[in-house]
Amino acid sequence: DTGVSQNPRHKITKRGQNVTFRCDPISEHNRLYWYRQTLGQGPEFLTYFQNEAQLEKSRLLSDRFSAERPKGSFSTLEIQRTEQGDSAMYLCASSRKGALGNTIYFGEGSWLTVV
Amino acid sequence: DAKTTQPNSMESNEEEPVHLPCNHSTISGTDYIHWYRQLPSQGPEYVIHGLTSNVNNRMASLAIAEDRKSSTLILHRATLRDAAVYYCILRDNNAGNMLTFGGGTRLMVKP
C-alpha cells in the first residue's frame, strides 16, 4: 500500500502527558498537511510543510503543539501537556506540488483520547 | 478561501442516481472545485475536481454551472458504500493549497 500512513492509529493518554503522532506521506509527495477533526465537524487545518519547511500554521496550533518534518519525508506532530479538549482525530495528508489540481491524499487518521 | 454552501443531509435509495448540490457564489477565477468524501471512521477521500468543464471519473461526475457559482456531484448509482459525508471545497491552485472543509452533506443510502 503506497498511501499516507499514520501511527499510532489510536492513543489513549492521561491529561498532562505528551503524545507524538507520525505520518509517512506518499513517496515523492513534497507537501504534507496536518488536520484535526472532532466528532460531527469537518477537518480543520493545522499546518503544512513543503519539503522540510513549515510554510503555514493555523491559529488552532497552540504552543503546546509542534510539528516537524526534518528531512522532508515523514512528519511528527507532538502535543505537550495534553488536555481533554485535544481529544480528536489527527489527520495527515500529502500532495505533490505541480500536479494538476494538486490532489491531496489523506491518511486514515490517528485517534487521540485524553482522559 | 471562498465559502461553499451545501445541504446538511440528503437521502437516496440504493441503485438510484444522487445529485449533491454545492453553491459557491464567491468563487474566483483561479479556484478549483474539489469534492471529497469521508466514510465513517476514515480519512477524507478524493472524489473529483474541476475548473470550468464537466468532469467524469470512475467514482462520479461533476457538473459545473456556466457561471461557476454552483456545481453538482453526481453519483450515477448509489450503493450502501456511498453513505458518507461529502465535502465541496474551493481551492486556489496558486495559494497555500490547504483544503478548507465546511460541514459537508451527509448522504444516507436506503436499501
Side-chain angles (χ1 to χ4, degrees):
Chain A
D1 182 27
T2 57
V4 178
S5 175
Q6 293 188 244
N7 66 79
R9 292 293 317 280
H10 300 271
K11 178 76 176 176
I12 300 173
T13 190
K14 289 184 179 178
R15 192 174 50 188
Q17 297 293 305
N18 299 344
V19 297
T20 299
F21 298 112
R22 176 179 169 125
C23 171
D24 288 272
I26 294 171
S27 178
E28 298 180 356
H29 277 194
N30 52 6
R31 286 183 170 165
L32 187 147
Y33 310 79
W34 286 99
Y35 284 78
R36 181 175 72 184
Q37 186 173 26
T38 53
L39 278 174
Q41 304 295 317
E44 297 171 295
F45 169 75
L46 291 178
T47 188
Y48 106 93
F49 293 82
Q50 184 163 299
N51 299 314
E52 65 276 7
Q54 189 172 16
L55 295 187
E56 191 151 347
K57 293 198 293 186
S58 160
R59 279 174 287 182
L60 291 175
L61 210 67
S62 77
D63 54 9
R64 294 185 298 106
F65 287 68
S66 63
E68 293 183 345
R69 195 182 182 199
K71 295 183 180 178
S73 57
F74 74 92
S75 175
T76 57
L77 176 69
E78 181 184 18
I79 309 173
Q80 296 182 322
R81 305 181 304 281
T82 52
E83 301 172 356
Q84 287 187 321
D86 297 332
S87 296
M89 179 165 67
Y90 291 85
L91 289 158
C92 178
S94 70
S95 71
R96 188 172 62 206
K97 183 176 184 292
L100 183 64
N102 288 335
T103 299
I104 295 179
Y105 297 90
F106 285 81
E108 295 294 315
S110 291
W111 289 91
L112 173 65
T113 302
V114 181
V115 297
Chain B
D1 286 329
K3 194 172 175 178
T4 62
T5 305
Q6 298 177 255
N8 288 336
S9 63
M10 288 184 66
E11 224 172 62
S12 170
N13 294 317
E14 198 177 10
E15 298 189 4
E16 289 186 357
V18 182
H19 290 232
L20 296 164
C22 181
N23 287 320
H24 30 79
S25 59
T26 58
I27 191 170
S28 72
T30 53
D31 284 332
Y32 279 78
I33 301 160
H34 286 248
W35 283 82
Y36 281 73
R37 73 179 186 180
Q38 189 171 24
L39 279 65
S41 300
Q42 294 189 23
E45 173 189 26
Y46 168 79
V47 177
I48 200 166
H49 76 277
L51 184 61
T52 56
S53 304
N54 294 344
V55 185
N56 300 296
N57 67 20
R58 63 175 180 81
M59 288 181 72
S61 295
L62 176 59
I64 301 173
E66 202 170 319
D67 63 5
R68 300 213 321 130
K69 294 187 176 182
S70 65
S71 61
T72 302
L73 180 71
I74 302 165
L75 307 179
H76 295 286
R77 285 184 71 215
T79 69
L80 296 178
R81 293 193 304 174
D82 291 323
V85 178
Y86 287 78
Y87 296 98
C88 168
I89 302 165
L90 299 184
R91 186 158 170 242
D92 184 342
N93 207 41
N94 297 320
N97 280 272
M98 72 288 293
L99 297 167
T100 302
F101 289 81
T105 296
R106 181 173 298 278
L107 175 66
M108 291 166 280
V109 180
K110 295 185 293 184

